[in-house]
Amino acid sequence: MFSFLFIFLSLWSFSSTQNEDDYEDFFNLNFDNEIEIPPTEDTVSCDCQREHTEWDKLFIMLENSQMKENMLLHSLDEILKVELQRLRGEMLQLVENVSSRCITSTGQATSRISSQLDQMLARKNQEAEDRSAMLHESEQGRVLQEILQLSRNVSNRLSHLEHAWRRKEELDIQQRGLPEKDYMTRGDSFVLNSLWQELQETKAELKESHRKKTQNLLPIGCETALLFPMRSKKIFASVHPTTEMMLSSFTACMWVKVTEMLDKTIVFSYGTKRNPYEIQLYLSYDSAVLAVSSDLTKIVAPNVIGSGQWTHFCGIWNSVNGNASLFVNGKLLKASADIAEGHIIPNGGILQIGQEKNGCCVGGGFDESLAFSGKITGFNIWNRVLSEKEISRQSEEESCNIRGNVVGWGVTEILPHGGAQYVFTF
């Protein structure tokens, strides 16, 4: 832009000079028609030093301006490079400072959030433990109150019996005039019989009270349970055993609190694509059924469960002689032989709680009428037959802390699906 402006000004200056020369030539014209005598060789002066023409001057000026322009552009480029380098350094320093501050701030914020979450979780866990302890203490307190009330009732009954006996014996002595020795013998016999009767009635009341209190309580260690809120073909829990499921014998135990029982309500099932009925434990109204290899090879324990009550089940099977047993609340209620004798439970199947595996894959081919609704906890499976003593321990205190070697409650991965979820049992 500067070069073009410079060229334009130079051309304008040159044209102005040329015009002035023309005007001077014009004024020097001879208008008097006088004949000019041409100069002779003597009169011609010799110009030994030739001056630059206007064009030469113009080109010289142009060259000088071009050189100056190049020098200015070069200086400008150098200045721009220096400024850009400085700006780049400042930007890099700024980015480094900002990034370091951001990293520091992010780390501090993350640590604060993590600390707050840890404190919140610790507080919630403490609240849950306190609540559980309070609930257990309240339950124990109510039981103790009932036992105290029963002891008071027994004491009152014994006092009434003793008072009545003394009055009766005094009347007998007065009416019959019996000697004191006979009086004491008859009195002792009457007291012993009365005490025995009262103790039997008290024992029955204590058993009934204990049964009513424990039917809605679980042993220690069973604080969580799987909740199946409704019957649905989409609600179940998938179990991933710790070891292979190729079994020649097994023992399966769990606590069950069912909302409603139909003709076939699945508690748990294990099946393969070839045979979806390898193992099944299900409820049929108030009966419990254990089926192995087929729904035709099964044992049934009738009248063992009611809705809304915690009940402990253990199913046992052995391939050697086909022996199968059903224990309810630690007691053997049904046993049979020749149940799938010689059969081997194959590996590679699907183990599920609350549904029957009768399709090709997880979540497929489920029947809503077979679904379980209620709560299940303490689900354990062993690859052997447990003794009756071990079965009895399963239904007593801390049974949820005794875990199977194939499936262990609280250790083996059990994933709820659909609306199934883990809940606290208190």
Side-chain angles (χ1 to χ4, degrees):
M1 183 69 184
F2 292 106
S3 60
F4 289 111
L5 180 59
F6 185 79
I7 291 171
F8 175 77
L9 293 174
S10 300
L11 291 175
W12 179 79
S13 174
F14 174 75
S15 61
S16 300
T17 306
Q18 188 68 31
N19 289 332
E20 289 177 358
D21 293 340
D22 293 338
Y23 290 146
E24 289 177 359
D25 294 338
F26 180 76
F27 285 113
N28 290 329
L29 290 177
N30 189 3
F31 294 100
D32 297 329
N33 291 325
E34 294 180 355
I35 297 174
E36 292 183 356
I37 300 173
T40 61
E41 294 180 358
D42 295 335
T43 60
V44 176
S45 62
C46 180
D47 189 6
C48 296
Q49 295 181 353
R50 182 176 176 271
E51 296 181 357
H52 294 291
T53 63
E54 298 295 334
W55 286 104
D56 292 335
K57 294 179 179 180
L58 178 61
F59 284 115
I60 292 172
M61 294 174 63
L62 287 174
E63 290 176 358
N64 294 334
S65 64
Q66 187 68 33
M67 291 177 62
K68 292 180 179 179
E69 181 181 0
N70 292 334
M71 294 175 63
L72 290 173
L73 290 176
H74 181 71
S75 301
L76 183 61
D77 290 339
E78 293 296 330
I79 294 173
L80 288 176
K81 287 180 181 180
V82 173
E83 291 295 327
L84 287 175
Q85 290 291 336
R86 186 176 61 81
L87 183 61
R88 182 174 178 273
E90 293 178 355
M91 290 296 294
L92 290 175
Q93 185 65 31
L94 179 62
V95 170
E96 184 178 355
N97 295 336
V98 172
S99 61
S100 62
R101 291 177 183 175
C102 289
I103 292 172
T104 304
S105 301
T106 304
Q108 294 176 354
T110 304
S111 61
R112 285 198 300 270
I113 293 172
S114 177
S115 177
Q116 292 176 359
L117 288 175
D118 292 338
Q119 293 176 1
M120 186 181 297
L121 289 174
R123 187 168 58 254
K124 292 296 182 182
N125 290 334
Q126 186 64 35
E127 291 178 358
E129 292 177 358
D130 295 342
R131 184 179 178 186
S132 176
M134 291 175 61
L135 288 172
H136 283 295
E137 290 176 359
S138 62
E139 292 292 338
Q140 293 175 358
R142 284 197 292 270
V143 173
L144 290 175
Q145 288 292 334
E146 291 192 0
I147 293 174
L148 180 61
Q149 186 63 37
L150 287 173
S151 65
R152 289 173 180 172
N153 294 339
V154 172
S155 178
N156 291 332
R157 288 177 183 175
L158 291 176
S159 298
H160 289 311
L161 285 172
E162 184 179 3
H163 183 68
W165 168 70
R166 290 187 179 278
R167 288 188 60 186
K168 184 175 181 302
E169 293 301 326
E170 289 176 358
L171 291 175
D172 289 341
I173 291 173
Q174 292 177 1
Q175 292 177 0
R176 299 179 183 180
L178 294 175
E180 185 177 356
K181 183 177 180 180
D182 294 338
Y183 163 74
M184 291 299 296
T185 302
R186 292 185 61 189
D188 291 342
S189 177
F190 177 75
V191 169
L192 290 175
N193 291 332
S194 300
L195 285 174
W196 176 255
Q197 184 178 359
E198 287 294 330
L199 288 174
Q200 290 297 323
E201 292 179 359
T202 303
K203 183 179 179 181
E205 290 180 1
L206 287 173
K207 283 185 176 181
E208 181 65 20
S209 175
H210 182 267
R211 186 188 67 81
K212 289 181 179 179
K213 285 298 177 183
T214 57
Q215 68 182 5
N216 291 322
L217 298 177
L218 287 172
I220 299 173
C222 301
E223 286 82 7
T224 59
L226 277 170
L227 171 64
F228 302 86
M230 66 188 76
R231 293 184 180 275
S232 172
K233 61 183 180 180
K234 297 181 180 180
I235 297 178
F236 65 98
S238 59
V239 185
H240 303 275
T242 306
T243 61
E244 293 185 353
M245 285 291 292
M246 183 173 289
L247 305 173
S248 59
S249 61
F250 69 83
T251 301
C253 299
M254 73 289 302
W255 286 92
V256 177
K257 185 177 182 180
V258 63
T259 303
E260 182 185 15
M261 299 83 71
L262 299 182
D263 181 59
K264 188 176 183 181
T265 300
I266 301 294
V267 178
F268 85 93
S269 66
Y270 174 77
T272 61
K273 186 175 181 180
R274 184 176 181 181
N275 180 17
Y277 310 106
E278 289 291 345
I279 305 175
Q280 284 192 336
L281 179 65
Y282 62 89
L283 306 176
S284 180
Y285 298 110
D286 59 354
S287 301
V289 182
L290 175 64
V292 181
S293 178
S294 171
D295 199 36
L296 301 177
T297 52
K298 61 186 178 182
I299 57 173
V300 181
N303 304 320
V304 295
I305 190 171
S307 60
Q309 300 178 1
W310 282 108
T311 307
H312 188 261
F313 291 99
C314 276
I316 297 176
W317 173 78
N318 192 351
S319 174
V320 175
N321 46 22
N323 287 338
S325 306
L326 264 176
F327 288 77
V328 179
N329 293 329
K331 297 181 179 179
L332 177 62
L333 295 187
K334 188 66 177 181
S336 180
D338 301 328
I339 301 296
E341 183 178 359
H343 180 68
I344 300 297
I345 305 296
N347 190 35
I350 295 177
L351 180 60
Q352 296 173 151
I353 300 177
Q355 261 293 358
E356 176 186 275
K357 193 274 174 191
N358 55 3
C360 64
C361 52
V362 175
F366 289 163
D367 188 351
E368 181 178 338
S369 64
L370 303 178
F372 178 85
S373 62
K375 295 179 180 179
I376 294 177
T377 187
F379 182 73
N380 293 283
I381 296 179
W382 291 261
N383 58 2
R384 63 183 180 88
V385 174
L386 299 185
S387 64
E388 291 192 12
K389 184 177 181 180
E390 290 175 312
I391 295 295
S392 179
R393 288 180 59 198
Q394 292 295 314
S395 61
E396 295 175 354
E397 292 185 1
E398 299 188 5
S399 65
C400 287
N401 293 328
I402 304 174
R403 298 179 175 87
N405 60 348
V406 178
V407 175
W409 180 257
V411 176
T412 303
E413 184 179 20
I414 302 178
L415 300 177
H417 299 273
Q421 58 182 321
Y422 284 98
V423 295
F424 289 103
T425 56
F426 52 80

